[in-house]
Amino acid sequence: MKKPGEVFEDSRVYDPGIEAIVPRYDELHDAILNAPPQQRDDEIHVLELGAGTGELTAKLLTRFPESTVLAVDHSERMLAEAKRKLETFGDRVQIEQRTFPDDHPDGHEEFDLVISSLAVHHLSSDEKQTLFGAIHEALVPGGWFVNGDVIRFDADHLETLSDAMIKNWVRSKGWEEEEFMNQWQASDDYDDPDTLTDQLVWLRDAEFDSVASLWQYYNFAVYGGRKPE
Ligand SMILES: C[S@@+](CC[C@H](N)C(=O)[O-])C[C@H]1O[C@@H](n2cnc3c(N)ncnc32)[C@H](O)[C@@H]1O
């Protein structure tokens, strides 16, 4: 039985697999890391929600060499991959098995930056709003939250267009989508994306300012906001 967001039965195939079904995966990660105002040599403390196999975590730790990261995820098997990958970063990274928003974040004003990639869309609308409030509490004044994620369109034809774009992407990697999903034992029955507009409004409701969307490719977007000073 898979947990929401694990995507593949076998987490060891996640890294090559996710690049084949998420268009512009690396570009999405780059946009997340380009968004915050911090400089490369700043000593920042970062929370990553839904770190999975640690792909974005490794990129963050490399791009910000003075950073420390708390990487949380509810999946033991995804975190086992992350532990292997992130070992080289030593005590700059702490990995914890937690479920958000139920038992995390629970810190108060301790993180300069909270990031997430392809994880928050597994939560219901209510849970997303609860999470945005908890993230706001966990950030230091002036800290940023940046999320790169799946979004939903209200217009049916844009949903259809996004589905077609993903099928074309998988085909460009040499697979028919159904064949890929079967052979790689992939699926995500727990997707619950919301519109970008709703999520930007919920960030404002949670008292973030400078709320903005920085990058979008069909039904994938990078957006976030700042906790006021
Ligand atoms: C599609 S993966 C994304 C992993 C990684 N961030 C990336 O960019 O490749 C989604 C991750 O979020 C985790 N996840 C989903 N919902 C979660 C929740 N409520 N609490 C903790 N982790 C969650 C899953 O276990 C999975 O590792």
Side-chain angles (χ1 to χ4, degrees):
M1 182 74 180
K2 275 189 278 183
K3 284 188 174 175
E6 286 181 331
V7 188
F8 301 92
E9 281 294 337
D10 181 350
S11 296
R12 287 170 303 180
V13 305
Y14 178 88
D15 289 354
I18 200 73
E19 292 201 30
I21 50 170
V22 172
R24 303 188 177 206
Y25 176 73
D26 282 324
E27 201 177 304
L28 177 121
H29 280 178
D30 277 346
I32 294 170
L33 298 181
N34 286 338
Q38 283 95 356
Q39 303 297 309
R40 277 179 191 263
D41 51 359
D42 285 351
E43 287 180 26
I44 50 172
H45 189 37
V46 184
L47 168 64
E48 185 185 356
L49 297 168
T53 61
E55 270 299 288
L56 179 63
T57 331
K59 290 172 185 165
L60 177 106
L61 287 157
T62 305
R63 176 163 324 194
F64 296 96
E66 306 299 328
S67 62
T68 50
V69 181
L70 171 60
V72 306
D73 199 290
H74 63 182
S75 166
E76 203 175 338
R77 57 191 177 189
M78 294 289 265
L79 289 180
E81 295 306 309
K83 275 180 193 142
R84 255 194 292 280
K85 188 180 296 171
L86 301 173
E87 205 180 347
T88 178
F89 294 99
D91 61 8
R92 288 181 57 208
V93 61
Q94 190 187 337
I95 295 174
E96 287 184 11
Q97 190 177 359
R98 305 266 205 125
T99 302
F100 50 79
D102 307 354
D103 62 6
H104 208 77
D106 59 3
H108 294 282
E109 304 205 331
E110 57 177 307
F111 298 103
D112 302 293
L113 175 64
V114 177
I115 57 170
S116 187
S117 158
L118 303 170
V120 174
H121 73 278
H122 296 109
L123 305 180
S124 69
S125 306
D126 283 348
E127 287 171 328
K128 288 186 187 87
Q129 290 170 77
T130 302
L131 180 66
F132 292 173
I135 291 170
H136 190 273
E137 278 185 31
L139 282 167
V140 300
W144 274 77
F145 167 51
V146 185
N147 185 29
D149 215 344
V150 183
I151 56 160
R152 179 178 69 74
F153 291 108
D154 277 332
D156 289 345
H157 76 283
L158 294 180
E159 284 284 291
T160 306
L161 187 67
S162 295
D163 286 348
M165 180 278 296
I166 291 173
K167 285 196 171 71
N168 283 339
W169 179 268
V170 176
R171 211 170 287 135
S172 77
K173 300 285 172 190
W175 297 86
E176 288 302 321
E177 197 191 29
E178 208 180 312
E179 181 196 10
F180 179 92
M181 296 309 249
N182 290 339
Q183 284 207 26
W184 289 64
Q185 295 181 295
S187 72
D188 216 329
D189 304 328
Y190 305 96
D191 284 359
D192 199 359
D194 281 288
T195 65
L196 179 59
T197 310
D198 279 345
Q199 293 179 83
L200 298 179
V201 168
W202 296 338
L203 284 179
R204 290 294 290 271
D205 290 347
E207 298 186 1
F208 284 89
D209 70 11
S210 306
V211 171
S213 169
L214 170 73
W215 179 94
Q216 186 173 351
Y217 187 69
Y218 295 84
N219 61 330
F220 295 88
V222 173
Y223 65 92
R226 184 185 73 133
K227 176 169 175 167
E229 298 273 1

